[in-house]
Amino acid sequence: MSTETAAKADAEEIYTFKDEDIARARDIVGVYHAVRKREQFSRASPDIMRAFARGYGDDNPLFVDEDYGLDTRWGAQIAPPMINIAVTKDLLADPIPKEQRRPPFRGIHVFVSGSTTDWYRPVFDGDIIYSFEGFDKVELKESEFAGRSLLVTRIHVQFNQRAEIVQIQRVLTIHTERHESKKRKKYDTIERATYTPEEIAAIDEIYAAEQRRGAEPRYWEDVQVGESLPTMAKGPLTVTDMVVFHSGGYGFAPYTPCTGRLWHQNRQRIGAFYIPNEQGVPDVAQRIHWDAEYARSIGLPASYDYGMMRDCWLTHVLTDWIGDDGWIDSMSSQMRRFNYLGDTHTFTGEVVGKRVEDTRHLVDIEFRGTSQRDEVTCPATATVSLPSREAGLATLRKPPAELEAIAAQMIKRHGELRAAKRAGQV
């Protein structure tokens, strides 16, 4: 069989959900396992924090300047809120029983639909980030446009080397059968964006007007319900943006696209992730984010971004507004529409509530990213903790004690296995 024929046969192979994969997904809800894969980085450093922030277009000196933070309430440079997608060190752990392993979902396409993140502590220079994860919820749906789809909410608990939880993230992923979106032609009417010099100049005006709150405290007492957040721009989205985002640290573990001999080794490990391109060369399915031809082959008009990239943009809106002394308590986002190459987003929002909870002075925000098509692609809500003129510094909430107990046990087992490995016992 020629390379061209083999590629065509592979492209025409139909992948559908296996009942045993769906049953396995439901059976492992609430079962947690140590993350034994490493992200692009494993330990926070000034360079990594700066590179990650710049990877999504954030120049906040609190994140990118190792000296600036010395004069803030944090006493040091701190990591951007979404650093968890770039920094995770692998934990040593006992083998996962076969019946508790995640189903492979071979050939099934996965979209990030939204996430909810709770933040508890900053990540500082030198912090090692570990994680444990599991399925939080599994729901099977039938859709007129996408056929069968499986909604899986994954929980990711990130903690440092002291077993202190820094954040908990729940990510909603939608698993769909690839051939369905191609058959139904849902996106045929969408046209790629093009721009005149005047339209680029209008976008530049938004960028030029953006301001960070920075060192000037935004006090809880001064915030009014109904007030608007400043407008922020992102885009037009380019392939360069995707490259910069990856070079900033988004490693996409456990798939971890790579090159040369590592490309060969990775294909032996996860062959189904590699789909021949138009030249018959096995390439990552992830190329849908930069390979327009491949995107069109599965029924989309163009390549599109990562949901996690827009989550980074959403946190950028918040950190610019709250200033150095504020803290993002929680954020929930939805990815309702694709953000295609060429699309431009403007972010707007408003304060919808304020309250005092325990010692925390909280502000509730509704905000969103809107494309040049006037489509809200990523609506979000957030709660931020602000300093108070009367009560002082913004306070941070405590993480769930039962999850910190799991983190402590995993750190303990990690140390036991590491010691045994050094002693040659494993």
Side-chain angles (χ1 to χ4, degrees):
M1 182 182 292
S2 69
T3 301
E4 181 179 356
T5 304
K8 183 177 180 181
D10 186 89
E12 292 177 349
E13 185 174 352
I14 301 300
Y15 293 102
T16 59
F17 282 111
K18 294 181 179 180
D19 291 338
E20 56 267 32
D21 285 351
I22 295 173
R24 172 81 63 81
R26 287 170 167 162
D27 287 343
I28 63 174
V29 169
V31 176
Y32 302 130
H33 292 293
V35 171
R36 296 189 288 181
K37 61 180 181 289
R38 179 176 178 158
E39 278 294 352
Q40 184 84 332
F41 306 110
S42 60
R43 185 192 302 265
S45 73
D47 286 340
I48 287 170
M49 289 187 267
R50 179 179 66 253
F52 181 74
R54 290 177 61 83
Y56 64 89
D58 192 344
D59 58 358
N60 191 331
L62 192 60
F63 307 142
V64 305
D65 186 336
E66 60 186 295
D67 294 324
Y68 178 87
L70 297 173
D71 299 324
T72 69
R73 65 156 293 183
W74 311 107
Q77 179 185 5
I78 63 174
M82 293 293 294
I83 194 68
N84 64 295
I85 66 173
V87 179
T88 300
K89 183 174 174 58
D90 46 321
L91 274 166
L92 296 176
D94 296 310
I96 299 174
K98 185 176 181 180
E99 65 275 10
Q100 294 183 2
R101 295 174 189 168
R102 288 171 56 174
F105 292 125
R106 182 173 183 267
I108 300 298
H109 201 76
V110 183
F111 302 89
V112 173
S113 177
S115 65
T116 298
T117 307
D118 300 302
W119 285 273
Y120 300 97
R121 294 181 176 91
V123 173
F124 294 100
D125 177 23
D127 276 353
I128 300 171
I129 303 301
Y130 298 101
S131 180
F132 65 83
E133 63 184 9
F135 283 5
D136 202 46
K137 184 179 180 182
V138 174
E139 183 180 5
L140 183 64
K141 285 193 172 183
E142 298 283 346
S143 167
E144 177 184 353
F145 294 103
R148 298 174 84 193
S149 59
L150 196 68
L151 279 61
V152 178
T153 302
R154 303 194 306 257
I155 182 171
H156 305 268
V157 180
Q158 278 87 32
F159 52 98
N160 60 29
Q161 66 273 25
R162 296 174 293 277
E164 299 168 335
I165 291 177
V166 296
Q167 70 181 61
I168 298 173
Q169 188 170 61
R170 290 173 172 84
V171 179
L172 175 60
T173 58
I174 300 178
H175 298 60
T176 64
E177 297 168 340
R178 285 184 183 145
H179 68 286
E180 289 297 333
S181 61
K182 184 177 179 180
K183 284 195 311 181
R184 298 173 193 272
K185 303 294 183 182
K186 179 181 178 181
Y187 305 101
D188 277 358
T189 60
I190 296 176
E191 296 183 1
R192 295 186 63 181
T194 58
Y195 296 85
T196 65
E198 292 75 19
E199 289 169 330
I200 294 296
I203 296 169
D204 282 339
E205 288 181 7
I206 299 175
Y207 279 119
E210 292 177 6
Q211 293 184 342
R212 292 184 306 271
R213 184 70 175 190
E216 181 184 357
R218 184 177 296 281
Y219 289 107
W220 181 85
E221 289 85 353
D222 298 339
V223 174
Q224 302 298 317
V225 173
E227 72 173 90
S228 296
L229 274 62
T231 301
M232 179 178 284
K234 292 291 184 183
L237 185 70
T238 65
V239 171
T240 301
D241 293 335
M242 310 308 296
V243 172
V244 171
F245 190 55
H246 276 292
S247 65
Y250 188 44
F252 208 68
Y255 303 104
T256 316
C258 43
T259 188
R261 183 187 300 156
L262 299 179
W263 165 75
H264 161 75
Q265 294 171 354
N266 217 31
R267 285 191 293 120
Q268 312 315 304
R269 181 175 68 91
I270 48 172
F273 184 60
Y274 285 81
I275 299 171
N277 62 20
E278 64 274 14
Q279 297 171 288
V281 179
D283 200 356
V284 292
Q286 184 188 1
R287 72 184 189 271
I288 196 170
H289 295 292
W290 55 81
D291 185 337
E293 184 64 32
Y294 176 56
R296 286 191 289 268
S297 76
I298 66 167
L300 296 169
S303 301
Y304 59 92
D305 70 347
Y306 295 103
M308 289 298 174
M309 175 182 278
R310 271 179 279 176
D311 273 346
C312 289
W313 292 351
L314 289 164
T315 61
H316 189 183
V317 173
L318 296 175
T319 54
D320 265 16
W321 187 75
I322 63 178
D324 297 344
D325 291 343
W327 180 257
I328 305 177
D329 193 81
S330 63
M331 184 183 80
S332 292
S333 65
Q334 300 175 39
M335 301 299 144
R336 290 186 177 173
R337 295 286 189 276
F338 287 107
N339 175 24
Y340 297 107
L341 292 182
D343 283 0
T344 298
H345 275 72
T346 52
F347 288 82
T348 56
E350 51 278 332
V351 173
V352 295
K354 54 185 294 190
R355 54 201 160 91
V356 178
E357 188 173 295
D358 299 325
T359 60
R360 294 178 297 145
H361 287 68
L362 305 176
V363 172
D364 297 316
I365 295 168
E366 290 183 0
F367 62 131
R368 66 212 59 85
T370 305
S371 74
Q372 79 283 352
R373 299 182 185 88
D374 289 326
E375 294 178 334
V376 175
T377 77
C378 48
T381 60
T383 298
V384 299
S385 179
L386 295 180
S388 164
R389 293 185 183 278
E390 296 182 0
L393 295 176
T395 54
L396 284 53
R397 60 177 163 158
K398 295 181 179 179
E402 65 276 14
L403 295 181
E404 280 208 327
I406 295 174
Q409 183 58 43
M410 289 187 175
I411 286 284
K412 181 176 183 295
R413 186 58 179 154
H414 172 76
E416 292 171 346
L417 291 171
R418 186 173 55 187
K421 187 175 181 179
R422 285 201 306 267
Q425 297 172 4
V426 293

